Amino acid sequence: MSSATQRAELQSQIWKIADEVRGSIDGWDFKQYVLGTLFYRFISENFSNYMEGDDDINYAALDDSLITKEIKEDAIRTKGYFIYPSQLFVNIAKNANDNESLNTDLAGIFQTIESSANGYPSELDIKGLFADFDTTSNRLGNTVKEKNTRLAAVIKGVEGINFGRFEDNKIDLFGDAYEFLISNYAANAGKSGGEFFTPQSVSKLIAKLATHGQSTINKIYDPAAGSGSLLLQAKKQFDDHIIEDGFFGQEINHTTYNLARMNMFLHNVNYDKFNIALGNTLLDPRFGDNKPFDAIVSNPPYSIKWIGSDDPTLINDERFAPAGVLAPKSKADFAFILHTLSYLSEKGRAAIVCFPGIFYRGGAEQKIRKYLIDNNFVETVIALAPNLFFGTSIAVNILVLSKHKTDTKTQFIDASGTDYFKKETNNSVLTPEHIEAILELFAKKDDVEHVAISVDNDKIATKNYNLSVSSYVEAKDTREVIDIVEVNAKIKNTVANIDRLRNEIDKIVSEIEG
């Protein structure tokens, strides 16, 4: 089955599920149930495959009593969790429509799966994974029967997705489902979820920028991990970049933190190869002991407020002190950028999605830009096309940081032209060809008229450290070129014709009057 066919089937099935529960569950809440059910199905099938190995057995058909303590412990140490045969998705889905205690059964199963990791190294990676899949919530209905009916509709719908083995899929199942749900509930997505979701095409570009030129990467990090899509795009580049010590990320939003951990499992990243932490990256960073990182990817929240100078101790923080100034309290963008730079290795790269305003405003932001340019940390600034993100039409930039530049120039790329994106119904997208074209510009560092230019840092200093792409890449003049000589000739010819016609009209009038 081709990727296009798989994607179409996934979207059709999700829409069918939505029809079953339409009007009863808010669109954004509905997303949680679909994604949670997809995850439940995946870990069930993944766990069954592990338990069966190469043996000719059907784990789902076994009686729970056959599972010994030794079997359970061995499975938890390897997979990080345990699911009894009776708790598997396939067995729950079988009787979902007739199960009068479906909602409480599911709640019990989820609690048991999570608690199976208690006391094991995987405990923190498993704990709370199903916290947002609340099967007893009144959002599902006011009565137990209503709740069970809607839960059964979602479960049977997800059961109907026929993709064979999850790991053999040609698409990013979770990411595709997430994008489809966001795009179809766009009214809620802007503030409720679009802010932490980076479209897959943009994620792919960012991951490729951060890993460019590195055959081996010690580990990859995202300080504002969201649903984990940026980290997982790097996993897809495994053939080109070996990530030795895994995936690290921190996320402040509890729901999204759970999605990121689910996403890791969905992409077969074992619990001992990822570490996603919950918390405020700027005020309570969790991975200082794990730095430096050879690759950092990030789409931090745009221009959010933070405590900044209200906490005088922050200026002494090793992440912010070198710049000599803190990011403005009303705009934390450069706080994330300085945090990222502090965690970057000497051989690594960071690729960060940025709001354009931070590149030209004055005050503290200008002083931080000065620090970055004077110390030669900015490799490239890329202006992307507008309308690439759900819930906003802003044309964002990508800032690429590096500590191993061999020259003192900064590259600027204008990828906002029609050669670098495709316009679709609701949003713009980057095709694989567009991504490769941008990467080629980045890698070669050649000047291309109206598209790319490398500028001496000394020149940037004379422009108040302005890093706006439009300040350096001259826009192509799309106005029609007018040949003034040709226009004058046409005017002269027109005037001559008018004079001739007037003479002919005067002659005719004179004959009539005579």
Side-chain angles (χ1 to χ4, degrees):
M1 189 185 295
S2 70
S3 59
T5 303
Q6 285 187 347
R7 189 171 289 108
E9 180 168 333
L10 172 67
Q11 294 178 357
S12 173
Q13 195 65 20
I14 290 175
W15 201 245
K16 182 179 177 182
I17 299 169
D19 277 337
E20 291 281 338
V21 297
R22 192 184 301 280
S24 58
I25 304 178
D26 173 77
W28 206 241
D29 292 333
F30 170 69
K31 169 189 68 71
Q32 299 302 123
Y33 290 105
V34 171
L35 294 175
T37 305
L38 277 170
F39 176 68
Y40 174 38
R41 177 180 165 182
F42 169 78
I43 63 168
S44 291
E45 295 185 8
N46 185 272
F47 191 80
S48 292
N49 291 338
Y50 165 75
M51 294 299 288
E52 291 165 3
D54 297 325
D55 299 330
D56 188 20
I57 62 171
N58 180 2
Y59 182 68
L62 296 180
D63 191 277
D64 290 357
S65 62
L66 296 175
I67 307 301
T68 65
K69 180 181 179 182
E70 290 73 23
I71 291 174
K72 182 177 179 181
E73 287 185 350
D74 183 65
I76 296 172
R77 293 189 186 282
T78 303
K79 298 298 293 180
Y81 59 92
F82 191 85
I83 307 177
Y84 282 100
S86 65
Q87 298 172 331
L88 294 169
F89 175 87
V90 64
N91 286 328
I92 294 301
K94 194 182 303 179
N95 303 310
N97 288 330
D98 304 313
N99 186 349
E100 295 181 357
S101 59
L102 178 62
N103 69 323
T104 52
D105 285 352
L106 284 172
I109 289 170
F110 297 158
Q111 195 277 329
T112 302
I113 294 173
E114 288 185 16
S115 63
S116 69
N118 289 351
Y120 291 87
S122 59
E123 181 175 352
L124 292 179
D125 297 309
I126 305 296
K127 187 176 182 180
L129 271 176
F130 292 98
D132 295 297
F133 196 148
D134 186 356
T135 63
T136 62
S137 171
N138 287 335
R139 293 178 297 178
L140 287 166
N142 293 319
T143 67
V144 171
K145 185 176 181 180
E146 287 177 344
K147 291 180 176 68
N148 289 339
T149 298
R150 282 154 192 156
L151 284 170
V154 177
I155 288 171
K156 299 301 285 187
V158 169
E159 180 189 37
I161 301 174
N162 180 23
F163 286 159
R165 289 160 56 95
F166 273 81
E167 50 264 46
D168 294 335
N169 287 333
K170 292 185 173 64
I171 63 171
D172 177 353
L173 185 72
F174 206 56
D176 273 59
Y178 202 173
E179 280 199 15
F180 180 71
L181 287 161
I182 284 178
S183 63
N184 281 280
Y185 295 108
N188 289 335
K191 293 299 180 185
S192 301
E195 64 201 14
F196 54 65
F197 184 74
T198 311
Q200 291 180 64
S201 62
V202 181
S203 296
K204 185 175 182 180
L205 173 61
I206 293 169
K208 282 181 171 287
L209 288 167
T211 57
H212 177 73
Q214 301 189 72
S215 58
T216 60
I217 293 168
N218 64 350
K219 48 206 166 191
I220 188 165
Y221 170 59
D222 186 343
S227 61
S229 61
L230 283 168
L231 290 172
L232 290 165
Q233 279 295 338
K235 180 179 183 291
K236 294 183 178 182
Q237 321 302 324
F238 257 168
D239 289 344
D240 300 319
H241 315 279
I242 304 302
I243 299 174
E244 297 171 334
D245 298 322
F247 305 81
F248 295 75
Q250 186 163 342
E251 172 56 36
I252 195 170
N253 179 291
H254 194 278
T255 295
T256 326
Y257 156 72
N258 284 337
L259 288 176
R261 292 187 297 156
M262 286 183 183
N263 220 351
M264 292 293 155
F265 283 108
L266 276 165
H267 285 81
N268 266 334
V269 180
N270 211 43
Y271 75 90
D272 57 349
K273 281 295 183 181
F274 74 84
N275 191 340
I276 307 295
L278 177 65
N280 187 320
T281 296
L282 298 182
L283 303 183
D284 185 22
R286 299 296 176 83
F287 296 110
D289 292 338
N290 300 98
K291 67 178 184 179
F293 296 87
D294 288 344
I296 302 179
V297 291
S298 187
N299 177 15
Y302 303 154
S303 298
I304 61 166
K305 295 179 181 179
W306 76 308
I307 192 169
S309 58
D310 283 348
D311 181 353
T313 65
L314 282 174
I315 195 60
N316 299 317
D317 189 301
E318 64 178 356
R319 297 170 297 164
F320 312 128
V325 65
L326 295 171
K329 290 186 293 183
S330 60
K331 301 174 182 68
D333 307 69
F334 269 116
F336 281 102
I337 290 170
L338 291 174
H339 169 91
T340 298
L341 181 67
S342 173
Y343 279 46
L344 186 63
S345 74
E346 294 298 322
K347 71 183 273 288
R349 276 194 180 89
I352 311 165
V353 179
C354 297
F355 180 75
I358 71 169
F359 292 122
Y360 58 78
R361 291 190 294 243
E365 290 180 317
Q366 180 184 338
K367 292 177 182 176
I368 295 173
R369 294 196 304 270
K370 179 180 187 302
Y371 164 72
L372 294 175
I373 292 297
D374 287 351
N375 288 277
N376 204 29
F377 291 137
V378 180
E379 181 171 1
T380 303
V381 182
I382 304 172
L384 295 180
N387 217 32
L388 283 168
F389 287 72
F390 298 111
T392 179
S393 61
I394 294 172
V396 303
N397 290 183
I398 297 176
L399 174 66
V400 182
L401 299 176
S402 169
K403 293 181 178 178
H404 60 272
K405 290 169 62 181
T406 57
D407 60 21
T408 54
K409 295 176 179 286
T410 297
Q411 182 190 37
F412 296 89
I413 297 175
D414 185 354
S416 64
T418 53
D419 289 341
Y420 299 99
F421 76 97
K422 176 184 177 183
K423 181 66 178 173
E424 293 196 341
T425 306
N426 297 319
N427 281 84
S428 302
V429 297
L430 302 177
T431 67
E433 291 73 26
H434 295 139
I435 292 170
E436 288 308 313
I438 295 170
L439 284 168
E440 184 176 355
L441 290 168
F442 170 76
K444 289 185 174 180
K445 297 292 191 292
D446 292 339
D447 290 354
V448 178
E449 191 175 18
H450 306 306
V451 177
I453 189 170
S454 291
V455 179
D456 286 323
N457 290 345
D458 288 344
K459 182 178 179 180
I460 295 173
T462 66
K463 291 196 172 190
N464 296 318
Y465 296 93
N466 187 324
L467 295 180
S468 296
V469 172
S470 60
S471 296
Y472 303 98
V473 179
E474 184 181 357
K476 188 174 183 179
D477 190 345
T478 58
R479 295 175 299 178
E480 182 182 357
V481 177
I482 298 174
D483 187 331
I484 192 66
V485 175
E486 182 182 348
V487 170
N488 282 334
K490 287 181 178 179
I491 291 173
K492 185 177 181 180
N493 186 53
T494 301
V495 170
N497 282 333
I498 291 172
D499 289 342
R500 179 179 57 79
L501 290 171
R502 280 177 176 168
N503 288 332
E504 290 179 359
I505 292 170
D506 288 345
K507 185 178 179 182
I508 293 170
V509 170
S510 178
E511 289 176 355
I512 292 173
E513 290 177 344

mmCIF file of all heavy atoms in Angstrom, residues 1-10 162-163 168-172 176:
data_model
loop_
_atom_site.group_PDB
_atom_site.id
_atom_site.type_symbol
_atom_site.label_atom_id
_atom_site.label_comp_id
_atom_site.label_asym_id
_atom_site.label_seq_id
_atom_site.Cartn_x
_atom_site.Cartn_y
_atom_site.Cartn_z
ATOM 1 N N MET A 1 0.844 -1.189 0.000
ATOM 2 C CA MET A 1 0.000 0.000 0.000
ATOM 3 C C MET A 1 0.884 1.245 0.000
ATOM 4 O O MET A 1 1.783 1.371 0.812
ATOM 5 C CB MET A 1 -0.899 0.001 1.245
ATOM 6 C CG MET A 1 -1.972 1.096 1.237
ATOM 7 S SD MET A 1 -2.923 1.149 2.794
ATOM 8 C CE MET A 1 -3.756 -0.424 2.757
ATOM 9 N N SER A 2 0.638 2.169 -0.937
ATOM 10 C CA SER A 2 1.466 3.364 -1.041
ATOM 11 C C SER A 2 1.199 4.302 0.125
ATOM 12 O O SER A 2 0.189 4.197 0.826
ATOM 13 C CB SER A 2 1.174 4.099 -2.352
ATOM 14 O OG SER A 2 -0.114 4.678 -2.312
ATOM 15 N N SER A 3 2.126 5.271 0.323
ATOM 16 C CA SER A 3 1.958 6.230 1.413
ATOM 17 C C SER A 3 0.707 7.074 1.201
ATOM 18 O O SER A 3 -0.018 7.380 2.154
ATOM 19 C CB SER A 3 3.192 7.125 1.520
ATOM 20 O OG SER A 3 3.409 7.831 0.320
ATOM 21 N N ALA A 4 0.436 7.444 -0.063
ATOM 22 C CA ALA A 4 -0.756 8.254 -0.351
ATOM 23 C C ALA A 4 -2.023 7.485 -0.019
ATOM 24 O O ALA A 4 -2.980 8.037 0.544
ATOM 25 C CB ALA A 4 -0.757 8.682 -1.822
ATOM 26 N N THR A 5 -2.029 6.190 -0.327
ATOM 27 C CA THR A 5 -3.199 5.353 -0.037
ATOM 28 C C THR A 5 -3.371 5.186 1.466
ATOM 29 O O THR A 5 -4.482 5.269 1.995
ATOM 30 C CB THR A 5 -3.049 3.973 -0.706
ATOM 31 O OG1 THR A 5 -2.864 4.153 -2.109
ATOM 32 C CG2 THR A 5 -4.282 3.113 -0.469
ATOM 33 N N GLN A 6 -2.258 4.947 2.171
ATOM 34 C CA GLN A 6 -2.323 4.799 3.622
ATOM 35 C C GLN A 6 -2.833 6.076 4.275
ATOM 36 O O GLN A 6 -3.663 6.039 5.176
ATOM 37 C CB GLN A 6 -0.943 4.449 4.173
ATOM 38 C CG GLN A 6 -0.523 3.017 3.924
ATOM 39 C CD GLN A 6 0.780 2.670 4.626
ATOM 40 O OE1 GLN A 6 1.486 3.553 5.102
ATOM 41 N NE2 GLN A 6 1.099 1.391 4.677
ATOM 42 N N ARG A 7 -2.329 7.215 3.806
ATOM 43 C CA ARG A 7 -2.742 8.497 4.381
ATOM 44 C C ARG A 7 -4.225 8.752 4.137
ATOM 45 O O ARG A 7 -4.963 9.199 5.025
ATOM 46 C CB ARG A 7 -1.889 9.626 3.795
ATOM 47 C CG ARG A 7 -2.101 10.967 4.479
ATOM 48 C CD ARG A 7 -1.078 11.990 4.007
ATOM 49 N NE ARG A 7 0.261 11.703 4.498
ATOM 50 C CZ ARG A 7 1.249 11.248 3.732
ATOM 51 N NH1 ARG A 7 1.059 11.052 2.449
ATOM 52 N NH2 ARG A 7 2.433 11.002 4.263
ATOM 53 N N ALA A 8 -4.679 8.451 2.921
ATOM 54 C CA ALA A 8 -6.086 8.650 2.580
ATOM 55 C C ALA A 8 -6.986 7.749 3.422
ATOM 56 O O ALA A 8 -8.048 8.164 3.885
ATOM 57 C CB ALA A 8 -6.310 8.376 1.094
ATOM 58 N N GLU A 9 -6.543 6.506 3.656
ATOM 59 C CA GLU A 9 -7.342 5.571 4.458
ATOM 60 C C GLU A 9 -7.400 6.033 5.910
ATOM 61 O O GLU A 9 -8.450 5.973 6.553
ATOM 62 C CB GLU A 9 -6.755 4.160 4.377
ATOM 63 C CG GLU A 9 -7.562 3.153 5.206
ATOM 64 C CD GLU A 9 -7.176 1.708 4.927
ATOM 65 O OE1 GLU A 9 -6.701 1.422 3.821
ATOM 66 O OE2 GLU A 9 -7.384 0.885 5.836
ATOM 67 N N LEU A 10 -6.271 6.503 6.420
ATOM 68 C CA LEU A 10 -6.226 7.001 7.799
ATOM 69 C C LEU A 10 -7.189 8.174 7.966
ATOM 70 O O LEU A 10 -7.989 8.214 8.906
ATOM 71 C CB LEU A 10 -4.805 7.432 8.152
ATOM 72 C CG LEU A 10 -4.633 8.144 9.503
ATOM 73 C CD1 LEU A 10 -4.907 7.176 10.648
ATOM 74 C CD2 LEU A 10 -3.230 8.732 9.627
ATOM 75 N N ASN A 162 -6.636 -0.479 8.565
ATOM 76 C CA ASN A 162 -5.948 -1.706 8.149
ATOM 77 C C ASN A 162 -4.581 -1.367 7.557
ATOM 78 O O ASN A 162 -4.430 -1.194 6.360
ATOM 79 C CB ASN A 162 -6.789 -2.460 7.118
ATOM 80 C CG ASN A 162 -6.129 -3.741 6.656
ATOM 81 O OD1 ASN A 162 -5.293 -4.297 7.366
ATOM 82 N ND2 ASN A 162 -6.495 -4.210 5.473
ATOM 83 N N PHE A 163 -3.586 -1.284 8.444
ATOM 84 C CA PHE A 163 -2.232 -0.974 7.985
ATOM 85 C C PHE A 163 -1.257 -2.120 8.256
ATOM 86 O O PHE A 163 -0.055 -1.941 8.112
ATOM 87 C CB PHE A 163 -1.709 0.290 8.681
ATOM 88 C CG PHE A 163 -2.340 1.555 8.173
ATOM 89 C CD1 PHE A 163 -2.334 2.700 8.946
ATOM 90 C CD2 PHE A 163 -2.934 1.606 6.927
ATOM 91 C CE1 PHE A 163 -2.909 3.873 8.480
ATOM 92 C CE2 PHE A 163 -3.512 2.771 6.458
ATOM 93 C CZ PHE A 163 -3.499 3.910 7.233
ATOM 94 N N ASP A 168 5.703 -1.138 9.866
ATOM 95 C CA ASP A 168 5.915 -1.271 8.425
ATOM 96 C C ASP A 168 5.232 -0.163 7.635
ATOM 97 O O ASP A 168 5.311 -0.131 6.409
ATOM 98 C CB ASP A 168 5.382 -2.628 7.933
ATOM 99 C CG ASP A 168 6.183 -3.797 8.506
ATOM 100 O OD1 ASP A 168 7.356 -3.567 8.852
ATOM 101 O OD2 ASP A 168 5.643 -4.907 8.599
ATOM 102 N N ASN A 169 4.559 0.747 8.331
ATOM 103 C CA ASN A 169 3.839 1.818 7.635
ATOM 104 C C ASN A 169 4.791 2.716 6.862
ATOM 105 O O ASN A 169 5.896 2.991 7.308
ATOM 106 C CB ASN A 169 3.053 2.685 8.635
ATOM 107 C CG ASN A 169 1.840 1.951 9.175
ATOM 108 O OD1 ASN A 169 1.311 1.074 8.511
ATOM 109 N ND2 ASN A 169 1.427 2.301 10.370
ATOM 110 N N LYS A 170 4.302 3.185 5.725
ATOM 111 C CA LYS A 170 5.094 4.108 4.903
ATOM 112 C C LYS A 170 4.863 5.559 5.314
ATOM 113 O O LYS A 170 5.495 6.463 4.799
ATOM 114 C CB LYS A 170 4.751 3.916 3.423
ATOM 115 C CG LYS A 170 5.194 2.568 2.842
ATOM 116 C CD LYS A 170 4.916 2.512 1.361
ATOM 117 C CE LYS A 170 5.501 1.257 0.731
ATOM 118 N NZ LYS A 170 4.888 0.033 1.236
ATOM 119 N N ILE A 171 3.928 5.790 6.237
ATOM 120 C CA ILE A 171 3.641 7.155 6.675
ATOM 121 C C ILE A 171 3.934 7.283 8.165
ATOM 122 O O ILE A 171 4.108 6.294 8.869
ATOM 123 C CB ILE A 171 2.170 7.554 6.405
ATOM 124 C CG1 ILE A 171 1.210 6.668 7.221
ATOM 125 C CG2 ILE A 171 1.844 7.491 4.930
ATOM 126 C CD1 ILE A 171 -0.230 7.133 7.176
ATOM 127 N N ASP A 172 3.985 8.507 8.622
ATOM 128 C CA ASP A 172 4.107 8.795 10.049
ATOM 129 C C ASP A 172 2.688 8.774 10.605
ATOM 130 O O ASP A 172 1.979 9.765 10.559
ATOM 131 C CB ASP A 172 4.749 10.162 10.247
ATOM 132 C CG ASP A 172 4.840 10.562 11.714
ATOM 133 O OD1 ASP A 172 4.291 9.830 12.567
ATOM 134 O OD2 ASP A 172 5.448 11.597 11.997
ATOM 135 N N ASP A 176 0.636 12.063 10.983
ATOM 136 C CA ASP A 176 -0.405 12.295 9.981
ATOM 137 C C ASP A 176 -1.772 12.448 10.630
ATOM 138 O O ASP A 176 -2.578 13.296 10.226
ATOM 139 C CB ASP A 176 -0.441 11.142 8.969
ATOM 140 C CG ASP A 176 0.543 11.369 7.829
ATOM 141 O OD1 ASP A 176 1.743 11.499 8.121
ATOM 142 O OD2 ASP A 176 0.111 11.445 6.668
#
